[in-house]
Amino acid sequence: MAVIRAAALFETGEFDDLLTETPADVRQALRTLRNIASRSGYRSMDDDILWVTLTRDLPPHVASWRRAAFD
């Protein structure tokens, strides 16, 4: 669910000002994960890769988005 919600930030222009520092490859990775999760289901995803994404890769970006929102 976290990946789907994070990817949703990029679907409208509403949050563009907050997301300017997010690299294009991160945006694409989130879209890809969202597509896999929403179309194929979480069972088709590699649990180890998903865990690393959620616990190591995604949190710094979420922190950056939060800082941008409150600056």
Side-chain angles (χ1 to χ4, degrees):
M1 183 57 107
V3 171
I4 292 171
R5 296 300 299 149
L9 294 172
F10 299 98
E11 292 176 353
T12 68
E14 182 179 358
F15 299 104
D16 283 351
D17 292 344
L18 304 177
L19 305 172
T20 57
E21 299 298 317
T22 305
D25 61 328
V26 171
R27 292 175 185 230
Q28 184 59 46
L30 283 170
R31 280 189 211 102
T32 300
L33 276 171
R34 182 216 41 222
N35 290 341
I36 292 169
S38 65
R39 293 192 176 107
S40 303
Y42 283 106
R43 289 184 175 247
S44 67
M45 299 177 78
D46 182 302
D47 290 338
D48 294 329
I49 292 173
L50 180 60
W51 182 253
V52 168
T53 299
L54 294 176
T55 61
R56 187 194 71 198
D57 299 334
L58 190 57
H61 296 290
V62 172
S64 172
W65 301 332
R66 285 183 176 164
R67 282 191 305 275
F70 294 107
D71 284 346

